[in-house]
Amino acid sequence: MSELTQLGPVSGHLAKPGGTGPWPAVIVIQEWWGLDAQTQSIADRFAAQGYLAFAPDLYHGELAALGDGEKAMTLVQKYAPGAPADLEKLYDALKSHPDCAGKVGSVGFCFGGRMSLALGLRRPVDAICTFYGGQMQVLFEQMRANFHAPVLGLFGDADVSIPAGTVQEFDQLLGEIGVEHEVIMYPDSGHAFFRDSDPNVYKPEAAKDAWERVTKFFAKHLN
């Protein structure tokens, strides 16, 4: 793991584009394994697209090995309650960072997909992307009352970790509250289809299309 950077009260992986800023910013939120090399590589990809990208370490130095679901669950239970507050503070620090042009988006995966939506309940995020947000349904009632950011939701139709009908309910909810949104369901794709470090779940065609969609989404709302 690379050396982490402190941003406000939160440490994490900071990736900058080449040249001189300021740039629009993107918060890249980890899967339930923690801030691993995969998450950091995604932040690097966003930096290459011209964004000041920061992947926070929401587990404060702890990490579950890929496939160790028991450890990951322990870490989620330990750190999830405090994660939204950490993200609030990170948003504030990133928004005021001298290299930030002003607009801030967020993207999260699995656990991070839920946290990306949770941040939108607490701060005026300019664009939010959720990849297969785990347990995102616990936020639906709060979102109904207080959610304003445009949303891109990316899911696989074979994702057994998300209860049947939840993605359709999410799509309908976003329509009811009147936010700009697009919800995509990829065929023959399961949970974590974007994780190119795991051949057991990675779906290249879905991942390629998802990357094109999220980069276009952020280009529209953050630039």
Side-chain angles (χ1 to χ4, degrees):
M1 180 173 290
S2 64
E3 183 178 351
L4 299 185
T5 299
Q6 195 76 20
L7 191 56
V10 184
S11 65
H13 176 71
L14 180 65
K16 295 183 179 182
T20 303
W23 307 280
V26 173
I27 299 171
V28 181
I29 311 175
Q30 68 198 44
E31 294 182 59
W32 76 331
W33 312 113
L35 181 57
D36 56 8
Q38 170 78 19
T39 308
Q40 295 183 47
S41 74
I42 295 170
D44 292 340
R45 290 175 69 180
F46 278 112
Q49 293 284 325
Y51 298 98
L52 179 67
F54 190 84
D57 179 12
L58 296 179
Y59 290 172
H60 300 275
E62 295 195 69
L63 187 69
L66 184 63
D68 188 350
E70 184 175 348
K71 176 69 176 294
M73 179 62 73
T74 298
L75 293 175
V76 166
Q77 292 172 344
K78 181 178 180 180
Y79 290 110
D86 283 344
L87 289 169
E88 276 186 275
K89 296 169 186 174
L90 170 60
Y91 173 92
D92 294 342
L94 196 56
K95 184 85 171 175
S96 62
H97 194 283
D99 286 331
C100 178
K103 291 189 176 182
V104 179
S106 71
V107 56
F109 303 80
C110 179
F111 160 75
R114 180 171 88 251
M115 290 298 110
S116 188
L117 295 170
L119 178 58
L121 289 166
R122 294 167 170 258
R123 288 294 186 269
V125 184
D126 293 290
I128 291 174
C129 179
T130 176
F131 276 78
Y132 31 84
Q135 298 185 358
M136 63 181 184
Q137 63 271 18
V138 303
L139 302 175
F140 285 177
E141 284 307 308
Q142 296 176 64
M143 290 176 65
R144 196 178 301 278
N146 180 35
F147 196 89
H148 308 287
V151 173
L152 175 64
L154 302 166
F155 304 89
D157 69 347
D159 189 343
V160 296
S161 71
I162 297 177
T166 300
V167 175
Q168 291 77 9
E169 183 182 354
F170 180 55
D171 193 7
Q172 181 178 350
L173 167 64
L174 295 172
E176 289 173 357
I177 62 179
V179 299
E180 181 180 339
H181 68 284
E182 184 176 27
V183 175
I184 303 297
M185 185 81 82
Y186 290 102
D188 303 315
S189 299
H191 193 69
F193 65 80
F194 194 76
R195 175 176 271 274
D196 56 11
S197 62
D198 185 353
N200 293 317
V201 296
Y202 180 52
K203 294 291 184 178
E205 290 186 9
K208 180 178 183 293
D209 184 81
W211 179 250
E212 291 174 353
R213 288 179 185 275
V214 71
T215 52
K216 288 179 182 177
F217 175 68
F218 283 150
K220 177 180 179 180
H221 293 287
L222 301 183
N223 290 297

